[in-house]
Amino acid sequence: SYNITVSAPVVDDSDYSGQYAIVAYRNSESRYYYLTNEETSTSTVRLTAVSAGINKPEENVVVDASKLWNVSKSGSVYTIQSVASEEYVSWTSGNSAVMSETGLQFTVTKQDDGSFNFVYAAAEEDRYLSLNSTKGSNYFAMYAGTQTQNLYLIKAVEGEEAPATLESIAVSGEKTTYTVGDEFVKPTVTATYSDGSTEDVTASAEF
């Protein structure tokens, strides 16, 4: 014989409505990415992911309108609307997140680490709004199963974004170690910034 306990389902009646930047973390790059309302030019239109740097954005981050979203609750479901375009996050049969005048309905669950799952209940299986798992393919889509990824809701305000800050400097070249008498060959110096961009700063470096 077995003892069986039947419990009522846990219902999260919290309201996560608000104006946010929506951010995902990609493990393969150790970097955060903003969800934007900008669509890629690929054959299947997808929402672009833009680097937010190696540090998670702070609350009340200042972003341009393309990175600002209204998360609204109606009953037990949520929609995500872009402040810039006033369109909603939607979904296509190609699993891609796109923009639409009709809002895609999500259930939202807060995770123990403070992130959120946005789940669209498809016909056969749940699909999660998440960052594409492939490094270098920067877009958001609707994934199921092992490709699910939690999103962070960061309180945000519209305005000019803070300038990117210097994160690291790397020196590269055929020869970077010398002994007395060696001929000096100038290496390449590359700066990496908080927005993920890089710049060749060799001309302004002192050797």
Side-chain angles (χ1 to χ4, degrees):
S1 64
Y2 298 89
N3 293 324
I4 299 175
T5 301
V6 179
S7 303
V10 176
V11 178
D12 184 359
D13 59 357
S14 302
D15 190 343
Y16 302 115
S17 298
Q19 196 168 76
Y20 298 98
I22 299 177
V23 174
Y25 182 75
R26 175 176 284 152
N27 292 322
S28 62
E29 295 181 352
S30 301
R31 187 171 294 279
Y32 291 89
Y33 283 86
Y34 286 111
L35 167 65
T36 83
N37 73 317
E38 299 164 356
E39 295 181 333
T40 65
S41 58
T42 57
S43 57
T44 303
V45 178
R46 297 158 170 163
L47 295 186
T48 306
V50 176
S51 175
I54 63 173
N55 299 310
K56 186 171 71 173
E58 300 290 338
E59 290 295 308
N60 300 312
V61 63
V62 178
V63 297
D64 62 59
S66 68
K67 302 182 184 71
L68 196 59
W69 301 89
N70 284 319
V71 179
S72 302
K73 185 177 184 181
S74 177
S76 61
V77 297
Y78 290 81
T79 53
I80 304 174
Q81 182 185 33
S82 169
V83 169
S85 66
E86 296 186 350
E87 291 185 307
Y88 296 87
V89 170
S90 188
W91 176 76
T92 71
S93 58
N95 293 348
S96 303
V98 300
M99 301 302 294
S100 170
E101 293 181 358
T102 303
L104 183 68
Q105 294 186 335
F106 297 94
T107 58
V108 177
T109 306
K110 189 172 185 178
Q111 307 301 299
D112 291 339
D113 64 356
S115 64
F116 294 83
N117 275 341
F118 279 75
V119 183
Y120 165 60
E124 297 180 357
E125 56 186 340
D126 289 342
R127 293 196 176 272
Y128 294 63
L129 177 65
S130 64
L131 181 64
N132 176 34
S133 58
T134 305
K135 182 176 180 179
S137 299
N138 297 335
Y139 63 88
F140 281 82
M142 300 298 299
Y143 290 121
T146 58
Q147 291 180 305
T148 63
Q149 187 169 18
N150 299 339
L151 305 178
Y152 294 91
L153 300 180
I154 311 294
K155 286 290 185 181
V157 292
E158 183 179 355
E160 293 185 5
E161 292 189 79
T165 57
L166 179 66
E167 287 191 341
S168 64
I169 295 176
V171 179
S172 60
E174 294 181 2
K175 188 173 179 63
T176 56
T177 302
Y178 293 84
T179 58
V180 174
D182 287 351
E183 180 183 356
F184 178 67
V185 180
K186 184 181 289 188
T188 298
V189 183
T190 304
T192 300
Y193 298 93
S194 56
D195 62 358
S197 63
T198 59
E199 180 184 8
D200 185 339
V201 294
T202 305
S204 59
E206 294 182 357
F207 298 92

